[in-house]
Amino acid sequence: MTAPRTRVAAAVVGGAWLAIALFVGVTIRYQVPNPAELLADVADRPVPWMASNVLLILLPLALAMAGPQLVDLAGRGSAGGELVSALLALGGGALAFSGIAHGVFGAHLAARFRDGDPLDDLVHLAEVVHALGDTGWFVGVGSLMAITALVTWGGRTRLARWVVWAGTGSVVANALQFAWFADHAFGVFAGPGTALQALWFVALARTEIIARR
């Protein structure tokens, strides 16, 4: 039987992950802005941007609480279970760092943009801070992708088939998202990857996991 608090935590992770994506999408108008355009977007819509980063900073708390369920499904005491524990720490820390870096971007650089500071100076600073934030973001996304793969595989005989397929689809879509570094066209997979990742966490919360025999 899964402890109620771990199921609630998994639902919180899924809901927060979807909310983060929606807040970021609203901020950037579901486009891929360059650094100067991003400064303007964040300056125009600071509330959803900051909300997404606050959620990113708090998300590791829910991930930690959902951890026992994830480790159990991956195989407590197995290499998979131990790797999930390590990835929870790595991914949670990376996502929190991303929220902090992007929060600095929103709170300081965008405010200076609104105050009329020279654009060239701000764009240079924005590129550095945003690059740091994106590094944390992709490490976090990669960690969640690996956790989902390990948990889905380890729990494949204990989870409903549709939950397994949601996890598999999330891993594939998020893996394709990483091809963005080669061709920005692959950024289109961010949407389905995010939605399936959120659905998978919510599905874990709504599914009563049978005990391992």
Side-chain angles (χ1 to χ4, degrees):
M1 300 287 288
T2 306
R5 64 178 178 275
T6 62
R7 297 176 67 179
V8 171
V12 169
V13 172
W17 194 242
L18 188 59
I20 289 165
L22 290 173
F23 283 139
V24 172
V26 167
T27 303
I28 64 175
R29 298 165 296 156
Y30 298 96
Q31 299 176 13
V32 182
N34 62 40
E37 292 168 339
L38 182 58
L39 269 172
D41 287 340
V42 176
D44 288 342
R45 289 171 289 280
V47 173
W49 180 260
M50 294 306 296
S52 69
N53 291 309
V54 169
L55 287 174
L56 271 179
I57 294 168
L58 296 176
L59 188 64
L61 301 177
L63 277 171
M65 292 184 67
Q69 180 185 15
L70 300 172
V71 171
D72 181 59
L73 284 167
R76 189 171 299 278
S78 69
E82 292 175 357
L83 189 53
V84 166
S85 293
L87 286 166
L88 284 168
L90 174 64
L95 290 173
F97 173 77
S98 177
I100 292 168
H102 283 129
V104 169
F105 180 103
H108 294 285
L109 298 184
R112 288 175 58 182
F113 176 83
R114 289 195 301 270
D115 291 339
D117 281 22
L119 181 59
D120 289 344
D121 293 344
L122 290 179
V123 168
H124 176 70
L125 291 172
E127 288 175 336
V128 174
V129 176
H130 192 55
L132 290 172
D134 277 357
T135 299
W137 170 262
F138 280 107
V139 171
V141 170
S143 297
L144 288 182
M145 183 178 70
I147 289 168
T148 304
L150 289 166
V151 172
T152 299
W153 176 257
R156 65 192 183 282
T157 61
R158 304 164 65 193
L159 293 167
R161 183 171 296 179
W162 74 273
V163 180
V164 173
W165 278 111
T168 303
S170 169
V171 171
V172 171
N174 280 313
L176 288 171
Q177 181 187 169
F178 276 83
W180 179 88
F181 291 102
D183 189 332
H184 286 186
F186 283 92
V188 70
F189 288 100
T194 298
L196 287 169
Q197 185 73 79
L199 173 65
W200 183 77
F201 273 109
V202 172
L204 291 183
R206 294 179 57 85
T207 302
E208 186 61 54
I209 310 300
I210 60 174
R212 186 182 295 277
R213 297 178 179 178

